[in-house]
Amino acid sequence: MAGGESQTPVSLSDRELQIIDLVAAGLTNQEIAGKLEISKRTVDNHISNILTKTQTENRVALVRWALQWGKVCLNDVNCCALPNPND
């Protein structure tokens, strides 16, 4: 696959999936930090770990990976059940 995207399933935490969803929604790391009430540094670390786990090189490749593996739902395309932090 182009862009170095992982060909195998990856185990991600609920928080990592939540962050991927916010990245796919177009939020910056600072905006994600504010929404989740965590530091930007924590978001930076989560994104770095997610990129490593998914073997993706950047945010665009990460969103492509997330769409391929059904981890995000964008505009009613590729919709799936995402973890709800309130559950």
Side-chain angles (χ1 to χ4, degrees), residues 27-35 38-41 43-44:
L27 275 64
T28 66
N29 288 10
Q30 187 66 48
E31 292 168 332
I32 293 170
K35 186 166 185 77
I38 59 177
S39 75
K40 180 186 173 293
R41 174 74 180 211
V43 175
D44 294 343

Side-chain angles (χ1 to χ4, degrees), residues 10-75:
V10 174
S11 176
L12 298 168
S13 70
D14 288 345
R15 178 63 97 185
E16 289 169 331
L17 291 171
Q18 188 178 33
I19 288 175
I20 290 171
D21 190 46
L22 295 172
V23 167
L27 275 64
T28 66
N29 288 10
Q30 187 66 48
E31 292 168 332
I32 293 170
K35 186 166 185 77
L36 299 180
E37 298 178 351
I38 59 177
S39 75
K40 180 186 173 293
R41 174 74 180 211
T42 300
V43 175
D44 294 343
N45 288 336
H46 278 304
I47 297 224
S48 178
N49 292 338
I50 293 166
L51 292 176
T52 298
K53 285 182 176 184
T54 59
Q55 299 176 7
T56 53
E57 297 175 8
N58 55 51
R59 294 164 79 92
V60 172
L62 174 60
V63 172
R64 287 175 46 96
W65 176 91
L67 286 167
Q68 174 190 2
W69 289 100
K71 303 295 184 185
V72 295
C73 177
L74 296 174
N75 299 326

